[in-house]
Structure formats: C-alpha cells, structure tokens
C-alpha cells in the first residue's frame, strides 16, 4: 500500500492565492476617481447660449450666407423681423375694429408678432454673447443705433395697437434728513420771531435761549427767551 495517500493542497498554493489578492487590492484602490459632474448653467446662461446658436444658424442659412464679421445692424433687424413668424402676441392692424383695445371681446385676423419685451431681452442676451465670444464691443452689431431705433418703434407701435400705454418710471428723490431738520428749525425760528410771512428771521431769534439774572440795589432784572425774541430796545423787568 502506498503510504503517500491523496495529495492535499500545498501551503505554497494557498500562499500564492493570498498573494494575488494582496496584489489586486492596490490596483483597485489606484483607480482614478470619477470627475465631478459639470456645473449646471443658470436659466439666463442657457437661454443666451440657445439664442446665440440660433443667430449663428440664421447667418449660415442666409441667402447669400453671412459671416459674423460682416454682420451689421441691418442684418440684426432682419433677424428680428424673421422671428415675428414665431410670435404669440396679437398686434392689431390700423384698420382692425379692436385697434387700441387691450382686451378685445372676439378674435380677429390680425397677425401674431413677437412682443417688444421679448425682442428687447433677446437683443440684450445677444449683445452680451457677442462680446463674450471674443469680439470687440465697438463692432457689436446688436448695440447699433439702428437696432435701438427699431426696438423703440416696435414698442410704440405695439403700445398704440394694443391700447397699452408705456409709462417711464420716475425715481423718487429722497431728501436728506439734514435738509429737513434745517428747514424745520428755520420755520420754528420765524414763528418765534413773528415772521410768518416767509421773510428772513432776525438774528436774535436764531440765537440759543439764555436766561440772565442780575441782582442789585435797585432790584432784579431777568432776561429770558421771550425777551431775546422781542424787538430791539425792549427789556423785561421784574
């Protein structure tokens, strides 16, 4: 009988498996971490990017094709008129029965247009995108004078057709507290001196209130604020 018996797993084999596990673990730990997700753009930045891509696509589809370097204010106005076909604002024509009514009672065949507020905001975003793309502000076609005049005309025409007056907000001027205090003190001085007609107050009325008491052999004399406000040459004796 063979005394050697069935062969079992040798310690060397088990040690080799452990060594492989120790070698795999450092490789798994050495893998680079996943990059952080890109920062999400704000709503304004996303809209600005979409508007910029739309305008560049418009230049490519233009007949004849246009480049951004050759773009002028007239081409920007053509782009704004092109967008009117996608507008959703009812602008009544001059011969419409609902011309000048903000809320017409029935529908009418007048065309839809882009609202002035939408066009004005669009030009602001495109003007910023033009300069952010590395172009000089002096050559910005969206800041051309012709574009500003066109937007003003669209604003006035839509306000008249829809019966919505455009009123410019006036900023309220705040008076400083020092001016109010000085005016109130001057008014109080005039009332104390009897000058309620708006004339200049005497110098004696603006002087601070003083009280002087003199005691002598002939009696006592007391001068108060009333004496200071009285006409010159008048004294009060007690």
């Amino acid at each position: 009988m063979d005394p050697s018996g069935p062969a079992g797993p040798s310690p060397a084999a088990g040690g080799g498996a452990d060594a492989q596990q120790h070698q795999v673990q450092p490789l798994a730990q050495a893998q680079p971490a996943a990059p952080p997700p890109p920062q999400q753009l704000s709503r304004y930045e996303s809209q600005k990017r979409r508007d910029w891509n739309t305008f560049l696509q418009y230049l490519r589809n233009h007949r004849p094709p246009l480049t951004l370097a050759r773009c002028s204010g007239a081409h920007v106005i053509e782009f704004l008129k092109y967008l009117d076909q996608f507008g959703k604002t009812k602008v009544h024509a001059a011969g419409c029965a609902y011309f000048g009514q903000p809320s017409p009672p029935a529908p009418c065949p007048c065309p839809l247009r882009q609202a002035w507020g939408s066009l004005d905001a669009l030009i602001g975003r495109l003007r910023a995108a033009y300069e952010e793309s590395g172009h000089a502000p002096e050559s910005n076609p969206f800041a051309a004078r012709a574009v500003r005049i066109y937007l003003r005309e669209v604003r006035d025409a839509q306000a008249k057709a829809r019966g919505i007056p455009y009123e410019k907000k006036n900023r309220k001027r705040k008076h400083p507290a020092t001016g109010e205090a000085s005016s109130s003190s001057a008014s109080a001085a005039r009332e104390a001196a009897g000058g309620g007609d708006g004339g200049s107050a005497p110098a004696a009325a603006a002087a601070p209130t003083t009280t002087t008491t003199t005691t002598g052999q002939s009696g006592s004399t007391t001068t108060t604020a009333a004496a200071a406000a009285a006409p010159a040459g008048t004294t009060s004796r007690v």
Side-chain angles (χ1 to χ4, degrees), residues 64-129:
L66 287 173
T67 60
L68 191 60
R70 297 174 52 190
C71 182
S72 63
H75 299 116
V76 175
I77 295 177
E78 291 179 3
F79 175 68
L80 297 180
K81 293 180 179 179
Y82 160 79
L83 295 178
D84 275 337
Q85 59 182 320
F86 309 106
K88 299 179 181 180
T89 300
K90 177 74 71 173
V91 180
H92 303 287
C96 180
Y98 305 131
F99 183 83
Q101 298 184 16
S103 300
C108 63
C110 294
L112 299 177
R113 294 286 185 262
Q114 291 283 348
W116 165 79
S118 301
L119 296 179
D120 185 67
L122 171 66
I123 290 299
R125 292 190 295 267
L126 292 176
R127 182 171 60 245

Side-chain angles (χ1 to χ4, degrees), residues 17-198:
D18 294 340
Q20 291 180 359
Q21 293 179 359
H22 289 299
Q23 291 177 359
V24 170
Q25 289 179 359
L27 293 177
Q29 295 177 357
Q31 292 181 357
Q39 185 177 5
Q40 187 177 3
L41 297 178
S42 63
R43 182 178 179 181
Y44 171 78
E45 293 295 334
S46 300
Q47 185 66 42
K48 182 172 61 175
R49 179 175 298 182
R50 289 194 298 267
D51 294 337
W52 182 247
N53 293 333
T54 302
F55 181 75
L56 294 180
Q57 184 67 29
Y58 171 80
L59 295 182
R60 287 191 293 266
N61 297 337
H62 193 273
R63 295 292 179 269
L66 287 173
T67 60
L68 191 60
R70 297 174 52 190
C71 182
S72 63
H75 299 116
V76 175
I77 295 177
E78 291 179 3
F79 175 68
L80 297 180
K81 293 180 179 179
Y82 160 79
L83 295 178
D84 275 337
Q85 59 182 320
F86 309 106
K88 299 179 181 180
T89 300
K90 177 74 71 173
V91 180
H92 303 287
C96 180
Y98 305 131
F99 183 83
Q101 298 184 16
S103 300
C108 63
C110 294
L112 299 177
R113 294 286 185 262
Q114 291 283 348
W116 165 79
S118 301
L119 296 179
D120 185 67
L122 171 66
I123 290 299
R125 292 190 295 267
L126 292 176
R127 182 171 60 245
Y130 180 87
E131 298 180 3
E132 291 175 0
S133 61
H135 297 82
E138 295 79 11
S139 60
N140 195 332
F142 304 99
R145 183 173 180 270
V147 177
R148 296 196 300 269
I149 294 176
Y150 175 78
L151 290 176
R152 190 183 311 121
E153 292 176 352
V154 171
R155 180 198 68 191
D156 297 340
Q158 291 189 3
K160 185 177 181 180
R162 302 174 61 197
I164 303 176
Y166 176 78
E167 298 179 358
K168 188 175 182 180
K169 296 181 180 180
N170 297 324
R171 297 181 179 178
K172 297 181 180 180
R173 297 180 179 180
K174 297 181 179 180
H175 299 283
T178 55
E180 296 179 356
S182 59
S183 60
S184 60
S185 60
S187 301
R190 284 196 299 269
E191 293 177 0
D197 297 335

